[in-house]
Amino acid sequence: MDSRSHTPVTAALRLCLHALLTGLLALVAVRAVGGAAPHAGAVVALVVVTAAVYAAGAVVGTRGGAPAGSGARDAAVRPDGGAGAQARPETGAGAQAGPETEAEAEAEAETETDAETVRSRVRAGSPSLRPGTRAAAVWLGGLCALWIVLLVLSPDALWVAFPLYFLQLHLLPTRSGVAAVLVTAAAAITSFVAHRQEIAPGAFIGPLLGAAVAIATVLGYDALFRESERRRELIVELVATRAELAEAERTAGTLAERERLAREIHDTLAQGLSSIQLLLRAAERTLPGGAPATAHVRAAREAAQANLAEARSFVRALTPPDLERGSLAAALERLCARTTGPGLTVRFAVSGTPVELPTPYEVALLRTAQSALANTVRHAGAGRAEITLSFMDTSVALDVVDDGRGFDPAAVPVDERGDGGFGLPAMRSRAATLGGTLSVESAPGQGTALAVTLPVAGPALGAERAA
């Protein structure tokens, strides 16, 4: 059932409609009997039949329910005490987690199938009075026909037109509903004039004013509900977006902290243990054969070597996921494949003889390539880009070239993005941390060439290779 049918406002409106129609029918019967009307018996009988038809519609509507997609008019005042059920799959932050196992998923699917079968049988055996359906139109037509006959017999039946206005506006399409309200108002006015044999302003003002109020109320409620639904969907989307953004920020923060720890462990503990191992190896070689200290020096060197291996395992565990599945060249090749898409072709090439680089070097080069390609996709409007990884005797270089619109490097602000993300200052700072340099060559309309060079012949790499 539609969630709107459970709100206090719509429940109160339905009860008011039931009470209003019942009370007006009772008033017609009481006045016919108390006033000794010529057709009092027929009036009472018609009142009973009309009430029975109305009650039957309420019962049928309550049992039948409504299918998905019954529209924005389901929440308007209705005689069946319910609203059309509208299937609304939960999405975003409001979506519940699915079954954890395949068996649970199958059991849940069977349960949903059985429930849907029962609902289908109930609907097939009991047609519901949903807005815009033939059953609703037939039921409403019969109710209005009984009212017309009652209107001919008793002038007091005029007041029953007011609850009929709401039924017509709810169960019929907008244009048909408005037309039916106008016809009902005209019938009420005609009945008043025919029974009183006079034309009074009140005969026109009452029914027409009631029709105007009913039209404004129902259509206004529909408009407010549609606006409320749009806002609800926006809120759900906003909550989901905020959750995704928070998750992305947590992931980025975790990766950044992992890189920082890996860099710190490599630059401090690993390098210190590597130096200790080299010094102990040299001391072991200088000791004379059979010296008592030789065994202790060897034990210390082996302990340093074991701890160095443990520190390197920590560094490998903290490296970016792209570097966990292979070498730097493989990670850059996968990056190019992922970035290639409609309108942009990215190629990768390796120059020189690849050598194993320290983890901070690989992380810096990979992050720089990711940043440069992100700028190419976002700002350059390029059709082709190429990444070249060059291994030289004393350095390693990464070049990223594209044929995009280019820019004036001198005109770029200190932090063009303002978030410390993929900007040139962040790339330059990363390279400078490792003793390298970053250069950018570009001009408007002439593409962009970015190059980062890191030295690999210093003490850090020498100790890394010796270890």
Side-chain angles (χ1 to χ4, degrees):
M1 184 171 290
D2 198 312
S3 60
R4 289 167 287 176
S5 63
H6 300 291
T7 62
V9 175
T10 54
L13 289 176
R14 286 194 302 273
L15 291 176
C16 289
L17 177 65
H18 299 331
L20 177 62
L21 186 57
T22 304
L24 290 176
L25 289 175
L27 176 64
V28 172
V30 170
R31 287 178 66 88
V33 174
H39 308 285
V43 170
V44 173
L46 276 175
V47 166
V48 173
V49 173
T50 304
V53 171
Y54 181 81
V59 172
V60 170
T62 302
R63 290 180 179 178
S70 54
R73 301 177 62 83
D74 291 351
V77 181
R78 62 187 304 162
D80 55 11
Q86 186 172 2
R88 299 179 184 277
E90 295 183 356
T91 57
Q96 297 180 352
E100 296 179 358
T101 64
E102 184 177 354
E104 293 178 357
E106 293 178 356
E108 182 177 346
E110 292 177 359
T111 302
E112 292 178 354
T113 302
D114 295 341
E116 182 60 30
T117 302
V118 172
R119 287 194 294 267
S120 300
R121 291 176 179 175
V122 171
R123 292 172 185 169
S126 177
S128 60
L129 301 181
R130 299 187 297 270
T133 61
R134 183 176 181 181
V138 171
W139 176 83
L140 183 60
L143 195 64
C144 292
L146 291 173
W147 174 72
I148 292 294
V149 177
L150 190 61
L151 195 62
V152 173
L153 298 178
S154 173
D156 297 316
L158 176 149
W159 307 110
V160 182
F162 292 101
L164 288 179
Y165 292 157
F166 290 97
L167 294 177
Q168 291 164 347
L169 289 170
H170 171 60
L171 295 176
L172 299 177
T174 302
R175 294 183 179 179
S176 300
V178 173
V181 167
L182 296 178
V183 172
T184 302
I189 295 172
T190 303
S191 171
F192 182 88
V193 173
H195 283 286
R196 298 295 178 87
Q197 297 296 323
E198 62 177 351
I199 298 178
F204 294 90
I205 295 177
L208 292 178
L209 183 60
V213 171
I215 292 173
T217 300
V218 174
L219 297 185
Y221 180 86
D222 284 347
L224 288 176
F225 176 77
R226 286 192 295 270
E227 180 65 24
S228 175
E229 281 296 286
R230 283 195 292 268
R231 292 186 179 182
R232 184 190 64 82
E233 293 172 359
L234 288 176
I235 291 174
V236 171
E237 183 179 356
L238 177 61
V239 171
T241 302
R242 290 179 60 183
E244 293 174 359
L245 179 60
E247 182 63 25
E249 291 178 350
R250 284 194 296 269
T251 302
T254 301
L255 292 177
E257 183 63 14
R258 288 174 53 163
E259 291 180 18
R260 187 189 69 81
L261 290 175
R263 185 167 57 252
E264 293 295 332
I265 292 175
H266 179 275
D267 292 345
T268 56
L269 295 178
Q271 296 300 327
L273 290 172
S274 179
S275 299
I276 292 173
Q277 180 187 8
L278 292 176
L279 293 174
L280 289 174
R281 187 188 298 275
E284 185 180 1
R285 291 174 179 173
T286 58
L287 288 175
T294 302
H296 298 290
V297 172
R298 183 181 297 108
R301 180 178 60 79
E302 292 175 354
Q305 184 176 3
N307 283 273
L308 176 60
E310 188 71 17
R312 287 175 176 171
S313 68
F314 288 152
V315 171
R316 284 193 296 271
L318 294 172
T319 54
D322 286 334
L323 293 175
E324 292 178 354
R325 294 178 293 174
S327 63
L328 173 62
L332 291 174
E333 190 170 2
R334 288 193 298 269
L335 174 63
C336 293
R338 289 196 305 266
T339 309
T340 298
L344 177 62
T345 300
V346 183
R347 296 180 179 178
F348 173 69
V350 178
S351 175
T353 302
V355 297
E356 184 178 355
L357 298 173
T359 298
Y361 283 55
E362 293 185 343
V363 172
L365 293 174
L366 177 61
R367 294 302 187 217
T368 300
Q370 292 173 335
S371 303
L373 282 185
N375 284 336
T376 299
V377 173
R378 187 171 298 133
H379 305 297
R384 292 182 303 170
E386 184 173 350
I387 295 180
T388 303
L389 180 63
S390 303
F391 292 92
M392 295 168 280
D393 294 337
T394 60
S395 63
V396 59
L398 178 75
D399 298 281
V400 182
V401 181
D402 65 62
D403 61 352
R405 61 176 58 95
F407 65 98
D408 184 4
V412 176
V414 175
D415 189 353
E416 65 272 18
R417 285 184 41 149
D419 58 2
F422 295 151
L424 292 176
M427 302 183 205
R428 186 171 285 109
S429 174
R430 189 184 294 272
T433 302
L434 299 175
T437 59
L438 181 138
S439 61
V440 179
E441 297 180 3
S442 181
Q446 299 182 13
T448 302
L450 181 146
V452 58
T453 304
L454 301 178
V456 294
L461 187 61
E464 184 83 16
R465 289 176 175 171

